């Protein structure tokens, strides 16, 4: 009896790293004024599959089923759609609304190392601001998070759907084809230039495809890329990118990448992707989606956000040993026989009251076996409770690293740690 | 477009309470030596519906569906079954294994105030100890948690399936009927004596039903109840209850209740239920299940655990104002015009680097509107960045409570908070 394919158990050592990461991301989000919310894992299929939401690729991968009441239900495949639904059902909310959310999402995709069907994300989003300052908040937060987690060779790649659209218009591409163009361009890194060309040529004329491809391959420093683009087109998107670079907290970490499009249909402006280093690739991304909320509210509300894929991020942190999990267990209490059991339990309670993490023998093992257990759990101290010591209101304290033992008065115990 | 029936959004004010509760429960669990794990929300239906697991009532309520690969999948309806599966697939794990887990579970049940189909639990369990000390750990932890959360009129009701079984044998009931008897007894509080009698008489002889009913109605102080039971039967279960009362950290909070049976099939020994006060009722429960892991491992491993139903618990905390949510936002930074925008952003970054939670205007509103917003968000200070002040390397600091303003050097700002 195993876990379902694409899902997994997370054992304590890995869970301690995960908890540390979540704690970092959420406390930095709070520094930025983001507040936590939660939305259901189960969403109405009508919401998840609404036109303009997600897009056909992600909807194909979504889990859906009928509940016992005959409702068509989907498991959320990300948080942004649910956020849009939430905003639409709270039309009087104070804007801008800055929220963060973490939890599980589900996509039935191919399973490979580091890719699961049940996985976790951590998102921040700003609803109600059309300013590039909001995009800058998202990206600055991600930069602060990666620095706090100990990453160095990371980059936030940015592009703008407005720039790609301007370029596409210049290349003579029909407005209606844009979503398809975005989706194909986004696969450049994954499937390579040849296949992108082939797929582009299926939706747009050959000549246009070539123009697009030449354009997205423009590279160099941010200033150089901007200069080159300005020679071809002029557009609002480019001005926004310039502004973003002037607002962000560390522009050396931001790189313009004209081939970046992002896979989801709903993006309308700046898009961003978090590359954690050369061999690692993307650990998240996001962008601006000024039309998504309007799908549910019938009135557009500008918004943008960024999301970390937690599983990939944590895998890398583990590989690079950026966070080393440590049990907080300080003391193991051993009773030498059943008669002193209750006194031992009192000492356990006393220490815990003093915020000291304590475990004790629950299997009535011999003292030597208890030491072995404490040692295997990496517990640094063992307290041995015996009848003779108790007469002197004392216990024996053993330092598991040095093997040294000393008598300590019970009243002085808590101070020892 | 709304949330699916039985599910809900959790907004920031409620989420802050939820976070504080989770933080308390998990830090006390760590004091007790419990370590965090996670298991998938999606489990094989074979696991969730195995004989001896959960039981027909809960299995009837479980969500199940086929995934795109044709696998029969269920959404977990609790954590204990998944824990048993996990232990069975890690046969070499260091025992006892003390773990905690929190997350969502799903049951398609009637929806009412405080009862959802998607809800959250917080569980601790101890695998690999058959000692009552392990049950005592669970109950002591729950007592410490409720005290730390500010509850006073709570009680942990305890009983033992061994005691009910002994009583049932004495009343001439067939061993094979025990699971049915447990399930009916457990409804006493919910459906009343009359209906319990009726349902009991459907599975056991009338005379036996009467004996059982008289037995489970025995009441009084713990000592009195034990005395009365000892006059009727002698059994290991009763000895275990006595030992539990001697081990637990605060026995004044524990009350023997012979009518307690718990609804799940897999319990084998002590069972416990957390009553948070008279009008509130149960906020969780648990017990010993020494045969559950054996269903998956083919070798019995003793285990016991306790679970808080977080939604009910948090609703009560909110009603009783035991935790009052507070945003951590300290400062709102206002730029008086676009020219000082970049300087304002620098100040924002500077304060955040000093762990001060800062928000700023993302909507280019007038100063008065910005004050209104800061005030509506409960932010205590506003920093006004203007060109004249900047010349003196200063800003204006406004205390939103008193309305007082002062000039502060930018270099001295962080120290102010």
């Amino acid at each position: 009896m195993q876990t379902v394919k694409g899902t997994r158990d997370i054992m304590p050592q890995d869970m301690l790293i995960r908890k540390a990461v979540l704690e970092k991301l959420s406390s930095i989000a709070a520094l930025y004024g983001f507040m936590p919310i939660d939305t259901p894992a189960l969403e109405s299929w009508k919401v998840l599959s609404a036109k303009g939401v997600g897009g056909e690729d992600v909807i194909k991968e979504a889990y859906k089923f009928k509940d016992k009441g005959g409702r068509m239900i989907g498991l959320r495949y990300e948080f942004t759609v649910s956020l849009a639904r939430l905003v639409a059902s709270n039309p009087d909310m104070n804007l801008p609304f800055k929220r963060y959310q973490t939890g599980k999402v589900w996509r039935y995709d191919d399973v490979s190392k580091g890719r699961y069907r049940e996985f976790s994300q951590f998102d921040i989003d700003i609803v109600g601001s059309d300013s590039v300052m909001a995009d800058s908040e998202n990206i600055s937060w991600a930069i602060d998070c990666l620095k706090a987690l100990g990453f160095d060779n990371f980059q936030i790649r940015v592009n703008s759907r407005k720039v790609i659209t301007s370029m596409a218009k210049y290349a003579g591409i029909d407005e209606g084809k844009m979503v398809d163009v975005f989706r194909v361009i986004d696969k450049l890194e994954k499937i390579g230039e040849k296949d992108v060309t082939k797929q582009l040529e299926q939706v747009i004329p050959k000549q246009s495809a070539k123009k697009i491809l030449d354009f997205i391959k423009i590279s160099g420093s941010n200033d150089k890329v901007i200069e080159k683009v300005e020679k071809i087109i002029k557009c609002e998107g480019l001005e926004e990118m310039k502004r973003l670079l002037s607002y962000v907290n560390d522009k050396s970490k931001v790189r313009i990448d004209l081939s970046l499009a992002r896979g989801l249909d709903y993006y309308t402006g700046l898009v961003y992707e978090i590359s954690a280093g050369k061999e690692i690739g993307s650990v998240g991304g996001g962008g601006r989606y000024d039309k998504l909320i309007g799908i549910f509210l019938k009135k557009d509300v500008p918004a943008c956000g960024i999301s970390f894929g937690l599983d990939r991020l944590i895998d890398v942190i583990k590989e690079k040993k950026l966070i080393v999990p440590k049990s907080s267990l300080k003391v193991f209490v051993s009773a030498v026989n059943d008669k002193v059991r209750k006194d031992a339990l009192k000492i356990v309670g006393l220490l815990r009251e003093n915020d000291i993490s304590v475990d004790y023998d629950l299997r009535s093992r011999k003292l030597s076996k208890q030491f072995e257990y404490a040692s295997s759990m990496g517990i640094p101290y063992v307290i041995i409770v015996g009848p003779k010591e108790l007469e002197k209101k004392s216990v024996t304290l053993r330092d598991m690293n040095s093997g040294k033992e000393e008598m300590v008065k019970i009243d002085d115990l808590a101070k020892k740690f």
Side-chain angles (χ1 to χ4, degrees), chain A residues 196-313:
Chain A
V196 163
T197 307
K198 217 184 281 171
Q199 292 191 19
L200 274 179
E201 288 174 356
Q202 281 167 16
V203 286
I204 55 173
K206 212 166 173 173
Q207 217 179 350
S208 302
K210 191 186 172 325
K211 273 192 179 166
I212 285 282
L213 212 71
D214 286 343
F215 182 76
I216 65 178
K217 279 161 59 191
I218 292 174
S219 65
S221 69
N222 291 336
D223 291 343
K224 262 267 146 11
V225 170
I226 289 169
E227 203 188 301
K228 286 178 186 168
V229 173
E230 276 179 333
K231 278 182 192 155
I232 310 171
I233 52 165
K234 275 222 150 55
C235 79
E236 192 191 39
L238 201 63
E239 294 309 310
E240 288 176 357
M241 276 207 262
K242 285 197 236 173
R243 236 177 298 146
L244 177 72
L245 289 168
S246 81
Y247 289 151
V248 83
N249 61 349
D250 183 354
K251 69 176 174 180
S252 78
K253 292 296 185 190
V254 179
R255 188 170 64 80
I256 297 176
D257 177 351
L258 297 172
S259 77
L260 181 71
R262 301 283 302 157
L264 296 161
D265 278 6
Y266 53 61
Y267 291 117
T268 55
L270 288 165
V271 287
Y272 3 109
E273 189 146 304
I274 309 165
S275 304
K278 260 205 175 133
E279 330 78 61
I280 302 163
S282 171
V283 292
R288 178 166 283 284
Y289 49 92
D290 288 347
K291 305 281 178 191
L292 177 61
I293 295 166
I295 293 172
F296 302 108
L297 186 62
K298 280 166 188 125
K299 179 186 89 178
D300 282 338
V301 179
C304 58
I306 197 166
S307 171
F308 274 110
L310 284 177
D311 302 86
R312 187 85 195 93
L313 186 71

Side-chain angles (χ1 to χ4, degrees), chain A residues 87-103:
Chain A
V87 172
S89 50
N90 292 274
D92 299 326
M93 96 191 335
N94 214 353
L95 296 182
F97 179 57
K98 296 170 88 173
R99 80 91 179 82
Y100 69 90
Q101 181 171 4
T102 185

Side-chain angles (χ1 to χ4, degrees), chain A residues 126 147 195 240 256 268 290 343 345 375 380 397:
Chain A
I126 301 173
K147 285 180 178 173
D195 280 346
E240 288 176 357
I256 297 176
T268 55
D290 288 347
D343 295 282
L345 280 173
S375 166
L397 175 65

